[in-house]
Amino acid sequence: MKNKQFILWFNQIGLKDLAKVGGKNSSLGEMYQKLTKKGIKVPNGFAVTAEAYWYFLKATGLDKKIREMLQGLDTHSIKNLSRKGARVREVILAADFPQELEAEIIKAYSQLSKFYKCQNLDVAVRSSATAEDLPDASFAGQQESYLNITGQHSLLESVKKCMASLFTDRAISYRVDKKFNHFKIALSVTVQKMVRSDLASSGVMFSIHTETGFKNAVVINASYGLGEYIVKGLVTPDEYLVFKPTLKTGYNSIIGKELGGKRHKLVYAIGGTKTTQDMVVPENDQKRYVLSDKEILQLSKWACTIEDYYKKPMDMEWAKDGRDNKLYIVQARPETVESQADPNVIKKYILLKKGKVLVQGAAVGKKIGQGKAQIIGDVSEIGRFKENNVLVTEMTDPDWEPIMKKAAAIVTDAGGRTCHAAIVSRELGIPCVVGTSQATEAVKNNQQVTVSGAEGDVGYVYQGLLPFRIKKTNIKKFKKPKTQVMMNLGNPETAFVESFIPNQGVGLARQEFIISNYIKIHPLALIHFGKLKDPAVKNQIEELAVHYKNKSQFFIDKLAEGIGRIAGAFYPKDVIVRLSDFKSNEYANLIGGAEFEPREGNPMLGWRGASRYYSEKYLPAFKLECQALKKAREEMGLVNIKLMVPFCRTVEEGKKILKILSENGLKRGVNKLEVYVMCEIPSNVILGTEFADIFDGFSIGTNDLTQLTLGVDRDSELVSHVYDERNQAVKELVRQIIQKAHQHKPRRKVGICGQAPSDFPEFAQFLVKEGIDSISLNPDTVLDTSIKILEQEKKRR
């Protein structure tokens, strides 16, 4: 007994003590000692050490018994694994702690209770294996946790259960896969004051975007009650995205907020033998965000502080106490998947053909997998799962891991991007779609399916085995052209991924995708919500903007978030955001749009672009757009956002728009704001010098410029054979605008964001020859077209 350390307090341990107290405890001790000084709140506690674990096994003879029991272990046989794991756990739970060890645990618990000025403190009892939380192995959920443990007897039982959980089926299987020796890993136990999140909320947080490896974002998941439901995938949590670089300089840089379905929560049990119980969340609470913006920013700042201290991307658990209303960090460990990826290799899964969508949910991993769907209803059925099938189930927990590694893809009814199924599939490199709500009903057993997470944040389960390919690109030796190569983007969900492609910013960020897919509602329908005639439309709007009393603010916030996510992805490079360019028929298709839009014979040449913004009929809606852009630039700090005015027919229209922008906090030249004009009408070229007097530059839109130069309706199949961006008349106008812009005093920039250089590499070479400043391309053409640009640049020397 002499010199044995059975108990170590958080203020006695740190990262150097991994072998003594395991990953969880060593990290908690490090934070408690070093980061509480920086304002991060970490509940106090102590570790039952690895030495205590070995002493327990040797003093009771369990070490020899367990070795004998694990002889002949075959983790590929579910029955063999299950039988041996159960026997080991049984003998551990049946053994008594040595008296001196028991006394030390009780003494420490008494001291912790006194520290918090109570008699029997409620504590969390968690496992902390000595090999867990390493940079390349998360050991997520491998051992057990017990919440709301009070009293000496319950504490001792929970500590013993944690030690036994070192030999759960999933923990045994995981160690075999990772080639860890069962008898070189010990189990330390965390005993930590409970945060009363059952009265408030809790969740997980990453200092890296876990789906893409984008390092400049904090991702927070939040739900009501104790945190186990998020990890186990029993709820689909809220998800918040925060942009780190501008957050660190004092901006409120929340670039994404997604409302989750939080129907249930785990709370303290009242009476009986159970320590926790399920509770249904009131409907009003389900429809509001769990955290306030202030709390989201506070947690994000802590994430940055923790990451900076550990010098690596981190995976953290947080909790809010419903009694003192304060936030706490209850765990932090290295992120083990995306932070280990090779940043020089871009691997892209491309679905070549789409099919019938059976279900959709949150995409985990930007991959595609396919095979026969196999529906497994309960963990007791996992023995019948066949390798390379697609696992379809309500949810998974760590007991499912022996079969998860055999799956071609995983689909769940419940859960968010940080639930167990998501964490494990990410680590295994298996495509996964979580939170589908109805996969177990909509997908049939043995049905051939394709699971795609390669199309953004939304993952799809398609009927049939659809063709796809994998494109790998090593960008380590990629040489950048002198001509700026930028990108055309519209979908914020893909922005983080696309940012890894060699680029010099975004030459065209379209707002239309954000409005039609995120907002879905006509801005005037939000402004005049109380006066809408159609009750069905009002119900739709109420459902989408349920947590907004001021419906107009919904438009502002969602547009700002979408733009902010694109601008953040490419920060500090320029992101040129085109003001909305829907036609009247497209606006009419938005929810409530039919009540505010005219019927035009040729919308392509009608009420669109600049003429719409200053019209009294639409001006109030345009002001919402201005407020969203101002929010992204000023509140989020994304001053790399530039503006671009589309379909500006006359110089007078341009002056009107600049005046409105200025009146709404977007004054050209203030706070680095530049305003460009689209060059897509012959008048923009003919009066190029006059347009250059009032705008900072041009972006050539070849689609409309070709249409209006050749007099061709680009939507008409009858004359489609005439439509060609490479026509000499179009090229002549392009040549002229480049010359006029460059000869202007001061010199004006000219870029191109039209489709032509993406479709025709020779057109890109023509642009280089003419001396264009930037070429904005579709992301999938950037690398190939850049090579053509380099070839042309060599010829110009």
Side-chain angles (χ1 to χ4, degrees):
M1 174 66 185
K2 284 185 179 180
N3 300 321
K4 290 191 181 297
Q5 288 185 305
F6 293 153
I7 301 294
L8 287 172
W9 289 84
F10 286 176
N11 64 6
Q12 297 176 301
I13 53 180
L15 294 178
K16 65 184 186 303
D17 299 304
L18 179 69
K20 292 181 182 179
V21 296
K24 190 178 281 97
N25 278 325
S26 62
S27 185
L28 280 168
E30 189 79 16
M31 287 196 296
Y32 189 81
Q33 288 192 66
K34 304 291 174 64
L35 296 182
T36 51
K37 299 170 186 175
K38 295 179 182 287
I40 295 174
K41 296 184 184 300
V42 180
N44 196 10
F46 60 87
V48 180
T49 64
E51 190 169 8
Y53 169 81
W54 290 125
Y55 182 73
F56 171 44
L57 262 59
K58 287 174 184 174
T60 55
L62 284 170
D63 54 343
K64 292 178 182 177
K65 287 182 183 177
I66 294 169
R67 282 183 185 274
E68 290 172 6
M69 288 176 177
L70 288 181
Q71 286 180 5
L73 173 69
D74 178 9
T75 57
H76 293 288
S77 166
I78 301 296
K79 287 183 180 178
N80 177 286
L81 173 63
S82 180
R83 186 175 68 251
K84 288 186 176 292
R87 287 182 62 197
V88 172
R89 295 193 298 275
E90 283 171 12
V91 297
I92 293 173
L93 293 172
D96 292 324
F97 280 133
Q99 191 173 354
E100 56 272 35
L101 173 57
E102 184 174 296
E104 286 284 308
I105 295 171
I106 290 171
K107 179 183 175 184
Y109 176 59
S110 177
Q111 289 175 336
L112 185 62
S113 295
K114 286 179 183 176
F115 182 86
Y116 282 105
K117 299 176 182 176
C118 68
Q119 190 168 1
N120 282 315
L121 182 71
D122 49 326
V123 293
V125 182
R126 291 190 167 99
S127 309
S128 180
T130 55
E132 71 175 358
D133 298 339
L134 302 178
D136 61 348
S138 74
F139 284 76
Q142 291 304 313
Q143 286 80 45
E144 298 292 354
S145 295
Y146 300 93
L147 306 178
N148 185 23
I149 303 303
T150 56
Q152 297 174 6
H153 175 75
S154 294
L155 174 63
L156 291 168
E157 283 300 303
S158 298
V159 171
K160 195 189 296 181
K161 285 177 182 177
C162 279
M163 291 181 174
S165 74
L166 190 60
F167 293 94
T168 57
D169 298 355
R170 77 264 186 163
I172 295 169
S173 175
Y174 191 88
R175 286 195 295 273
V176 170
D177 290 345
K178 290 286 182 181
K179 296 181 171 57
F180 284 94
N181 188 319
H182 299 299
F183 302 99
K184 288 187 178 178
I185 295 175
L187 201 290
S188 173
V189 179
T190 306
V191 180
Q192 185 181 32
K193 182 199 179 296
M194 280 287 295
V195 175
R196 290 303 302 269
S197 58
D198 63 306
L199 301 173
S201 57
S202 59
V204 294
M205 174 167 65
F206 293 89
S207 65
I208 185 174
H209 189 254
T210 49
E211 299 312 310
T212 63
F214 181 72
K215 293 184 178 180
N216 278 343
V218 173
V219 183
I220 302 172
N221 276 197
S223 192
Y224 298 113
L226 303 172
E228 298 297 290
Y229 274 13
I230 286 184
V231 177
K232 289 182 176 178
L234 289 163
V235 293
T236 302
D238 288 353
E239 183 169 290
Y240 314 118
L241 275 178
V242 180
F243 184 59
K244 284 156 50 176
T246 54
L247 173 75
K248 289 179 178 181
T249 54
Y251 289 95
N252 298 342
S253 48
I254 301 170
I255 59 172
K257 289 171 72 175
E258 188 175 331
L259 197 67
K262 309 169 292 288
R263 294 183 181 87
H264 294 264
K265 63 179 177 178
L266 188 67
V267 299
Y268 278 19
I270 301 171
T273 56
K274 290 185 177 181
T275 57
T276 58
Q277 67 183 39
D278 179 80
M279 182 177 286
V280 175
V281 175
E283 194 170 344
N284 285 344
D285 287 342
Q286 292 178 33
K287 293 178 178 178
R288 66 179 179 86
Y289 291 120
V290 170
L291 294 177
S292 67
D293 285 1
K294 184 179 179 182
E295 289 168 333
I296 293 167
L297 294 167
Q298 178 65 72
L299 284 173
S300 299
K301 288 171 186 173
W302 284 359
C304 292
T305 301
I306 293 168
E307 179 182 65
D308 290 346
Y309 180 80
Y310 282 84
K311 295 182 172 60
K312 61 186 69 171
M314 297 296 287
D315 168 356
M316 296 146 280
E317 293 181 18
W318 62 270
K320 180 182 177 182
D321 196 303
R323 286 180 170 172
D324 62 17
N325 286 318
K326 291 178 181 177
L327 295 164
Y328 295 85
I329 298 293
V330 295
Q331 190 174 329
R333 55 184 170 239
E335 195 277 338
T336 58
V337 180
E338 287 299 337
S339 55
Q340 305 299 308
D342 184 350
N344 293 313
V345 177
I346 299 174
K347 185 188 284 188
K348 188 164 186 176
Y349 283 70
I350 302 166
L351 194 64
L352 300 175
K353 179 185 175 184
K354 293 189 179 182
K356 180 184 177 183
V357 176
L358 299 174
V359 287
Q360 65 185 61
V364 177
K366 303 299 178 184
K367 296 184 177 181
I368 297 172
Q370 52 189 204
K372 281 186 180 179
Q374 187 171 354
I375 300 169
I376 302 288
D378 186 80
V379 70
S380 62
E381 303 172 19
I382 65 174
R384 64 181 181 83
F385 184 78
K386 293 180 181 177
E387 193 166 358
N388 293 323
N389 276 359
V390 173
L391 174 61
V392 181
T393 187
E394 187 178 347
M395 71 195 76
T396 68
D397 62 35
D399 289 327
W400 293 67
E401 285 177 32
I403 66 163
M404 292 175 75
K405 61 191 176 188
K406 299 177 181 180
I410 297 168
V411 183
T412 69
D413 287 348
R417 289 189 183 89
T418 50
C419 72
H420 176 266
I423 292 170
V424 173
S425 62
R426 203 177 286 123
E427 186 170 332
L428 294 172
I430 296 170
C432 178
V433 177
V434 298
T436 64
S437 299
Q438 54 179 358
T440 51
E441 296 175 8
V443 179
K444 295 175 183 176
N445 226 8
N446 295 318
Q447 183 177 14
Q448 300 273 25
V449 295
T450 297
V451 179
S452 172
E455 300 162 72
D457 285 356
V458 179
Y460 299 94
V461 180
Y462 293 103
Q463 182 176 296
L465 304 181
L466 303 178
F468 69 93
R469 68 185 179 94
I470 305 169
K471 184 180 180 182
K472 286 185 182 179
T473 307
N474 192 320
I475 61 171
K476 192 172 184 179
K477 296 180 181 179
F478 183 80
K479 188 179 178 183
K480 290 183 180 178
K482 289 181 181 177
T483 306
Q484 282 193 319
V485 176
M486 305 175 86
M487 285 195 219
N488 298 331
L489 281 179
N491 184 354
E493 294 175 7
T494 64
F496 290 167
V497 171
E498 311 296 8
S499 71
F500 291 106
I501 298 170
N503 70 85
Q504 290 176 276
V506 176
L508 171 62
R510 305 181 188 92
Q511 293 189 47
E512 292 77 35
F513 184 92
I514 301 168
I515 294 170
S516 60
N517 287 270
Y518 284 72
I519 299 169
K520 303 179 182 179
I521 307 164
H522 195 290
L524 290 174
L526 290 164
I527 291 170
H528 300 292
F529 177 71
K531 298 178 182 177
L532 292 175
K533 299 169 186 173
D534 188 340
V537 167
K538 291 189 78 169
N539 288 338
Q540 280 182 285
I541 294 173
E542 192 64 71
E543 192 174 326
L544 286 166
V546 64
H547 43 286
Y548 283 87
K549 287 183 180 178
N550 177 1
K551 301 304 180 188
S552 296
Q553 193 64 41
F554 173 72
F555 185 93
I556 296 166
D557 288 352
K558 289 300 157 194
L559 185 56
E561 288 164 16
I563 293 167
R565 185 161 171 177
I566 295 173
F570 292 85
Y571 185 88
K573 300 169 187 172
D574 284 356
V575 172
I576 302 172
V577 178
R578 185 177 68 188
L579 301 174
S580 59
D581 192 26
F582 279 135
K583 289 80 178 172
S584 55
N585 58 326
E586 294 167 334
Y587 264 118
N589 287 331
L590 295 173
I591 296 169
E595 201 168 317
F596 300 96
E597 292 296 326
R599 290 190 178 184
E600 296 187 278
N602 191 345
M604 188 78 75
L605 299 179
W607 197 35
R608 60 176 288 204
S611 63
R612 177 177 280 267
Y613 310 147
Y614 61 79
S615 166
E616 290 301 320
K617 293 179 181 178
Y618 192 77
L619 181 59
F622 182 61
K623 287 181 178 179
L624 297 186
E625 194 172 320
C626 293
Q627 288 177 59
L629 288 159
K630 183 182 177 185
K631 179 176 181 177
R633 283 179 51 83
E634 295 186 4
E635 288 187 35
M636 299 176 184
L638 295 164
V639 292
N640 59 323
I641 293 172
K642 316 295 182 186
L643 302 186
M644 184 156 65
V645 181
F647 224 76
C648 187
R649 295 172 169 99
T650 68
V651 175
E652 288 69 32
E653 279 195 326
K655 290 177 180 177
K656 286 180 182 179
I657 302 311
L658 290 170
K659 184 173 183 289
I660 295 169
L661 290 172
S662 180
E663 290 169 351
N664 285 274
L666 296 167
K667 185 175 176 62
R668 178 176 162 242
V670 175
N671 199 17
K672 300 180 182 179
L673 179 61
E674 293 181 349
V675 183
Y676 296 82
V677 65
M678 289 284 288
C679 178
E680 52 191 342
I681 305 169
S683 63
N684 301 141
V685 181
I686 296 165
L687 298 177
T689 301
E690 288 78 4
F691 276 102
D693 287 338
I694 64 169
F695 289 106
D696 294 293
F698 299 87
S699 185
I700 302 167
T702 51
N703 294 356
D704 273 323
L705 187 60
T706 303
Q707 173 177 245
L708 297 173
T709 301
L710 299 178
V712 174
D713 181 351
R714 58 187 170 104
D715 286 343
S716 171
E717 293 180 13
L718 297 172
V719 289
S720 61
H721 62 284
V722 180
Y723 183 92
D724 189 343
E725 298 99 318
R726 295 165 295 181
N727 183 281
Q728 192 58 40
V730 178
K731 291 171 75 173
E732 183 57 36
L733 289 177
V734 170
R735 181 182 291 112
Q736 286 182 32
I737 195 61
I738 294 172
Q739 288 176 353
K740 287 185 179 183
H742 288 175
Q743 289 168 4
H744 190 271
K745 303 295 183 185
R747 183 182 187 275
R748 297 303 190 193
K749 299 175 187 174
V750 183
I752 187 166
C753 61
Q755 191 67 26
S758 294
D759 289 346
F760 310 115
E762 68 271 24
F763 195 90
Q765 291 179 314
F766 155 73
L767 294 167
V768 173
K769 185 179 176 182
E770 295 302 322
I772 201 161
D773 297 296
S774 67
I775 298 176
S776 195
L777 302 163
N778 296 340
D780 59 347
T781 67
V782 166
L783 296 172
D784 291 341
T785 306
S786 292
I787 294 168
K788 294 291 183 183
I789 292 171
L790 282 165
E791 289 173 2
Q792 184 62 41
E793 286 179 345
K794 283 182 182 179
K795 292 178 185 178
R796 290 184 66 197
R797 288 175 189 170

